[in-house]
Each structure stands twice: as structure tokens, then as C-alpha cells.
Amino acid sequence: GQYVSTLRYRNEIKAEIDKTGEEQYRGYEAACTIMTVYLGMFDSDMYGALPYTEACRYKTDGILVPKYDMVKDLYDTWLGELDNCITVLQNKDLDTNAAQDPAYQGDWSKWARLANSLKLKIAVRLLVQDEARAKSIAKAVVNSPVGYIDNLDQDFRFAKATKVNNKDKYDYVYGTGNGLSNPG
């Protein structure tokens, strides 16, 4: 699953921030969480239940064999994580190093909008199973002050970097099959 790479990074970023207390870096943790949810949705669509809540936690919690989370539980987890990310990303004291964010160049309001939009994707997945809840999620998204993606200029394009051509620019090649590890 593609989400595993970003989940591993997210967990390591979180552990480092928790250890050092450098709260200004929580935006990067939130961005990794949003990417993890984004990729996890595709993997759960394909495979169903996934190891998530206990996955990639050997270093911090000694969990070597994580439990599999059912899709309905993943949706609850992801909605909570996305809500938390939106809250974190509204903090004006976050570090905004554009070179560390090839997607939105450290514009945390755009990441918050993406997180809110992903909640709509979850609502659509819930529509047949729990129409009232899906509509409630959609209403909350529409009424959220962070907004949601409603035009191509705000859209998020995920592309795997294949190499760095200088310290601020990435060369992208679509469909290369390259992993999500550091470009280079």
C-alpha cells in the first residue's frame, strides 16, 4: 500500500515533534497525515481492511504485527484525523518552508482545504451505507470556513518526484512506478 510510506514518515515526524516540542513543525505532520488518508482511501477501495492505527509503529510502540482496521473504522479514524489536521493547519505559527512542500509550497490554508475536501470523498463512500451521516459530513464540509476544492486552480496533483534539479525544484515523471521515498 502506498499509504504505508507516508504513514511511516508521519509517525516519525510526530515522534520527533513530541520529543523536541517544536510545535511549529506540526504542519508537516498534518500534511503527511492528509497524504496518508488520501492514499489510504485508494488502498482501502482496492483491498478493504488495512493495517493503519497500529501500522508503522515498531520504533515508537514496539508493534511488529499491526491489526487490520475495518474500512468503516478507517473512515471514522480518517475523519477525526482530517478534522485535527484542519485545526492544526489554522495555527499561524507553523513553519512554512516552501522547499519542503512541492504540492502547496507551505500554504497551510490549501492543505486545510484539501483535508476538508477529502472528507467529501469519505462522505460519498458512506452514502449508500449511511445516507444521513454522509449528508451531515457534506454539510459540515460546505459550511467550514477553510473551504473545499471547487476549481482546478485549488486542486491537488500528486506526482512522485524522480529527482531534485536544484534545492527548490522537483522533476516529475508520471507513471514511473517510483516509490514515495526521498527524491534523488
Side-chain angles (χ1 to χ4, degrees):
Q2 291 183 351
Y3 75 96
V4 172
S5 293
T6 55
L7 181 60
R8 185 177 298 114
Y9 288 126
R10 189 274 307 263
N11 289 351
E12 290 180 14
I13 291 168
K14 180 184 182 330
E16 186 66 21
I17 295 169
D18 289 348
K19 183 172 76 174
T20 63
E22 295 178 312
E23 295 296 315
Q24 72 271 22
Y25 297 118
R26 290 282 180 202
Y28 301 113
E29 177 190 347
C32 267
T33 300
I34 294 165
M35 280 298 304
T36 302
V37 171
Y38 173 79
L39 294 168
M41 281 195 283
F42 291 108
D43 284 349
S44 68
D45 287 346
M46 178 79 68
Y47 304 112
L50 301 170
Y52 185 83
T53 57
E54 292 183 357
C56 303
R57 290 184 28 199
Y58 177 74
K59 285 182 181 179
T60 57
D61 300 315
I63 298 172
L64 189 57
V65 181
K67 71 173 182 166
Y68 274 69
D69 297 293
M70 300 304 295
V71 174
K72 67 179 185 60
D73 298 327
L74 288 169
Y75 292 161
D76 292 337
T77 297
W78 291 337
L79 287 166
E81 288 181 346
L82 292 169
D83 283 339
N84 184 61
C85 289
I86 290 167
T87 299
V88 166
L89 293 170
Q90 293 179 66
N91 180 345
K92 302 298 182 206
D93 296 326
L94 294 174
D95 181 76
T96 57
N97 184 341
Q100 297 299 321
D101 180 7
Y104 288 130
Q105 293 71 50
D107 185 338
W108 300 124
S109 67
K110 290 180 180 179
W111 279 102
R113 181 179 291 133
L114 173 61
N116 204 34
S117 299
L118 290 178
K119 291 168 56 177
L120 281 177
K121 287 182 170 284
I122 294 171
V124 168
R125 287 163 169 83
L126 288 171
L127 192 57
V128 173
Q129 300 155 354
D130 190 343
E131 183 177 347
R133 183 168 184 220
K135 288 180 177 180
S136 174
I137 293 166
K139 184 177 180 180
V141 167
V142 169
N143 292 323
S144 172
V146 301
Y148 56 92
I149 295 172
D150 63 355
N151 67 60
L152 289 177
D153 293 335
Q154 300 168 345
D155 204 0
F156 173 78
R157 179 180 289 182
F158 175 65
K160 298 174 186 174
T162 58
K163 66 179 180 174
V164 177
N165 62 26
N166 69 40
K167 69 178 182 157
D168 295 326
K169 303 291 181 192
Y170 297 87
D171 289 332
Y172 296 103
V173 178
Y174 296 90
T176 63
N178 291 329
L180 296 173
S181 61
N182 291 337

